Amino acid sequence: MKWLIVTADDFGISRGINRGIVEAHLSGVVTSTSLMVDRPACEEAVALARRCPKLSLGLHLELDGVGPGDVPAEIERQQTRFVELVGSAPTHVDTHHDLHRDPEVLSPLLAWGRRIRVPVRGHSEVRYVSKF
């Protein structure tokens, strides 16, 4: 059997995006979302996600402007914040602006993902189709 996972990024970036993602999930379109833990509406996003138990919740890492040597610490910081907000580990991880395609970001991200057993978008057994 094949499954289609439709992920909506940027959960937590604004109240409007949060409402749109939840509406798309409740309508049966979106099955997964990824949370930006440092954005103004992230706590509201988590509260909305709690009312949607079938919505998979991943971590949408923001690594813009982070130097290559600081990437591992920043991943850890955002993951810690995710767990503080959500109460569990993310179901998956990806990056804002697809920065995980940069080898200097990808290498430490994959190592982190393997260590805590969290799949990285585009680098797991799940086939990734961009801009579906």
Side-chain angles (χ1 to χ4, degrees), residues 22-121:
V22 169
E23 182 178 324
H25 171 68
L26 294 174
S27 297
V29 176
V30 168
T31 58
S32 171
T33 189
S34 52
L35 178 67
M36 300 172 94
V37 298
D38 291 328
R39 293 298 181 127
C42 70
E43 291 178 12
E44 178 202 55
V46 171
L48 290 169
R50 284 194 177 102
R51 292 187 239 149
C52 301
K54 292 185 179 179
L55 180 63
S56 175
L57 190 56
L59 173 58
H60 196 55
L61 289 167
E62 291 189 85
L63 300 171
D64 295 7
V66 175
D70 297 326
V71 167
E74 185 59 19
I75 292 169
E76 289 290 338
R77 186 194 68 74
Q78 290 185 43
Q79 191 262 345
T80 298
R81 173 82 172 135
F82 183 97
V83 172
E84 288 170 356
L85 288 165
V86 177
S88 62
T91 58
H92 64 282
V93 66
D94 58 27
T95 57
H96 197 52
H97 300 132
D98 289 326
L99 285 182
H100 64 285
R101 293 182 180 184
D102 179 334
E104 291 183 333
V105 172
L106 182 60
S107 180
L109 182 57
L110 288 175
W112 171 82
R114 281 189 300 271
R115 184 171 48 80
I116 70 162
R117 297 183 179 175
V118 171
V120 175
R121 179 186 290 167

